[in-house]
Amino acid sequence: MTKRLCLDFDGTVVDCRHRQMAVLHSVTPKSLDIDRHAIWNSKRNGKSTTDALKHAGLTLSQSMLIAMRWEKFIEDRFWLSLDVVFPNVEETLIELKRRDWQLVLITARRDPDALHQQLLHLRIRRLLNSVHVVDPRKAAPAKAEILYREQPMLFVGDNESDGTAAQLAGVPFKAVASGQRCREFMTDHGYSPIYSTLVECIDAVV
């Protein structure tokens, strides 16, 4: 049986917090005082960018405008350069390859070319057997189609959309709390156990 592992990217393989908050800082008028740490925590607890900004005290119109600007620039190649691979992930993927695992990346992005360039820049493309990019507007069903075709032994992701995709495809899912959703949010949505990092997850289950 082929040993195949499917992985989400943002928040699972790479730390995207700095990029997300840097873009937020760049598109927020200097006259508005926002707590980026609080906004990040709100998003990790399931709020949209707009709702997180409202929760931080901005008006609805201010929140919507900033969220629209944030969405416009979040995949800009300059900002993508701020992402870093989580500690020890590269070494873990190398070890999996040595043990004859096939590694498949499935991620939701608007700009596939930028994603592929990012993988090359981060020097991890060579470790992946294949890369699939889906439309963020239909991430769960699109990821589910790929998972159904790939039939991996496991899919690891960082949010409820990844979990839904795995459920739709009938594929085992493991959640990490290193990205878009915190441990408490994922636990409340029925996922258990929740691993702190991808490395911890792989050490435990692969």
Side-chain angles (χ1 to χ4, degrees):
M1 182 176 180
T2 301
K3 296 188 296 184
R4 183 175 294 117
L5 175 66
C6 287
L7 303 169
D8 174 55
F9 188 56
D10 295 309
T12 303
V13 174
V14 295
D15 185 349
C16 54
R17 173 180 177 173
H18 185 47
R19 166 170 54 101
Q20 293 199 24
M21 294 300 97
V23 173
L24 184 64
H25 177 72
S26 75
V27 300
T28 301
K30 291 184 172 26
S31 59
L32 296 178
D33 183 23
I34 61 171
D35 183 343
R36 282 175 285 166
H37 178 74
I39 291 170
W40 174 251
N41 285 338
S42 289
K43 293 185 70 170
R44 292 209 345 122
N45 276 285
K47 292 187 183 298
S48 66
T49 304
T50 298
D51 288 341
L53 289 163
K54 283 176 57 186
H55 186 72
L58 275 63
T59 66
L60 176 59
S61 59
Q62 288 172 331
S63 300
M64 291 179 64
L65 179 59
I66 292 170
M68 287 175 58
R69 291 173 175 169
W70 183 88
E71 185 74 21
K72 178 179 179 180
F73 293 108
I74 193 60
E75 289 189 32
D76 183 272
R77 298 189 189 204
F78 169 77
W79 297 113
L80 288 174
S81 68
L82 299 180
D83 287 352
V84 294
V85 178
F86 281 116
N88 302 317
V89 165
E90 182 178 2
E91 293 82 358
T92 298
L93 298 184
I94 290 172
E95 175 60 19
L96 288 173
K97 295 295 290 183
R98 189 189 69 79
R99 290 159 51 188
D100 296 323
W101 279 83
Q102 291 188 3
L103 304 177
V104 177
L105 192 74
I106 309 176
T107 189
R109 289 283 188 89
R110 297 192 313 269
D111 188 344
D113 289 340
L115 182 277
H116 288 292
Q117 288 300 315
Q118 186 178 17
L119 291 173
L120 292 172
H121 171 73
L122 294 171
R123 300 180 62 188
I124 57 174
R125 179 61 184 90
R126 72 192 193 282
L127 303 174
L128 304 170
N129 292 84
S130 59
V131 175
H132 302 275
V133 184
V134 304
D135 187 337
R137 294 169 296 182
K138 50 183 180 181
K143 286 186 177 183
E145 289 182 11
I146 297 165
L147 289 169
Y148 185 78
R149 293 199 307 268
E150 293 284 352
Q151 286 298 301
M153 298 178 70
L154 183 67
F155 178 42
V156 183
D158 70 318
N159 60 52
E160 71 279 16
S161 177
D162 293 330
T164 298
Q167 183 178 26
L168 289 171
V171 167
F173 175 72
K174 296 297 181 183
V176 295
S178 52
Q180 290 300 125
R181 298 291 185 257
C182 66
R183 183 183 301 274
E184 292 76 17
F185 179 90
M186 294 301 283
T187 299
D188 288 346
H189 282 71
Y191 299 103
S192 179
I194 313 296
Y195 297 93
S196 296
T197 66
L198 174 61
V199 172
E200 180 184 288
C201 176
I202 289 174
D203 285 346
V205 302
V206 173

